[in-house]
Amino acid sequence: MRVHPPPPAPAPPFDAPAARRLREGLGMTPGHVAYGLRAQYGLDVPPETVTAWERGVGRPDARELTALAGVLWCSPGDLLAAATTLREHRVARGMEPEDLARWIGLDPKAYLRMEDSGRWRGNERQTAALARVLGLGPRELLDATGRDAELAEVLRNAVVATRWQAYVRPAAKLLPMHRDHLEDVLQRLHAGYRARTAATYGRDDPGDGGGEAGRAYLERIVDHFWALARL
């Protein structure tokens, strides 16, 4: 059975205008950049490719991006558009996956599988470490780890349950928030849902998810969460 190599990682979201501005600010030509990439990093990148990057025709891969940042005397993050995935945040900070995995307490191969799949499966401690090392706020972390749907499900379960306290720990595994603050937000979400469903009793069927007001509240549960969390 023939084993096929894994597909190449997608190129980071390159900021072409920023690359050109940085090069011109140093008084360099695309040829100078190409020479630096070859002499300093052993990358055979012709001047035409550098020009193509700056025109948005192509994008450097993660290794080329790191090398380009070195040649242009900037950080990799200066050459990236807004990062959204774990890989993009890591590359923007010039980190190797093995180093990031070690800092957050994960096996490098396990971390790379998560990064490649876009599905974060770390525990609460590892999630908090990931946010700390990459400097991600709760919203950025949630986007990067692809767990928006999981948070929405936890929040819906918390507000409709009799005991919202049972969902503090599942929510904490998704978000690096102070536990007291998280508990306060969940309690207020629960109270908000109960207030809306209680208002429907006697008019709508209480077995119908609390009526239209309750359903509308659940549909926007994540928005309500961020509004209360003020993050």
Side-chain angles (χ1 to χ4, degrees):
M1 178 178 177
R2 184 177 179 182
V3 178
H4 296 281
F14 187 61
D15 190 338
R20 180 173 181 175
R21 287 195 302 270
L22 287 165
R23 173 181 62 77
E24 292 177 342
L26 294 171
M28 301 173 70
T29 67
H32 292 144
V33 174
Y35 175 79
L37 291 172
R38 182 172 63 256
Q40 298 176 45
Y41 299 94
L43 296 177
D44 187 16
V45 177
E48 295 77 15
T49 298
V50 175
T51 300
W53 290 345
E54 293 181 356
R55 291 178 177 173
V57 177
R59 293 188 296 177
D61 61 25
R63 183 187 176 197
E64 292 167 338
L65 181 84
T66 301
L68 181 61
V71 172
L72 296 179
W73 289 83
C74 66
S75 72
D78 293 329
L79 297 173
L80 288 179
T84 56
T85 67
L86 278 182
R87 176 177 285 113
E88 291 168 3
H89 282 291
R90 175 179 60 76
V91 171
R93 289 153 180 80
M95 295 181 183
E96 293 297 325
E98 295 80 9
D99 293 333
L100 179 57
R102 184 177 68 254
W103 289 331
I104 61 180
L106 271 173
D107 175 77
K109 291 183 179 179
Y111 170 77
L112 279 173
R113 285 195 295 270
M114 296 182 199
E115 189 177 270
D116 291 339
S117 68
R119 295 290 297 168
W120 172 252
R121 300 188 183 281
N123 59 31
E124 183 177 346
R125 179 184 57 79
Q126 292 163 340
T127 300
L130 179 71
R132 183 175 62 255
V133 172
L134 292 180
L136 301 179
R139 285 195 179 193
E140 289 179 310
L141 178 69
L142 199 68
D143 290 339
T145 54
R147 304 178 88 172
D148 304 70
E150 289 182 57
L151 178 63
E153 183 66 17
V154 168
L155 296 178
R156 282 193 291 266
N157 289 335
V159 299
V160 302
T162 302
R163 294 189 68 257
W164 57 267
Q165 295 89 339
Y167 295 90
V168 173
R169 186 171 183 179
K173 291 179 64 176
L174 303 175
L175 295 169
M177 289 175 58
H178 193 280
R179 186 63 66 97
D180 290 343
H181 184 42
L182 181 57
E183 290 178 356
D184 177 65
V185 173
L186 289 183
Q187 183 178 27
R188 293 167 67 187
L189 280 176
H190 185 268
Y193 176 74
R194 292 296 174 182
R196 285 164 176 77
T197 56
T200 66
Y201 293 164
R203 299 200 308 269
D204 299 322
D205 178 6
D208 188 26
E212 189 63 33
R215 288 192 297 272
Y217 192 78
L218 291 178
E219 288 173 1
R220 298 193 58 200
I221 192 65
V222 175
D223 293 334
H224 294 308
F225 173 82
W226 292 125
L228 290 173
R230 299 181 182 275
L231 297 172

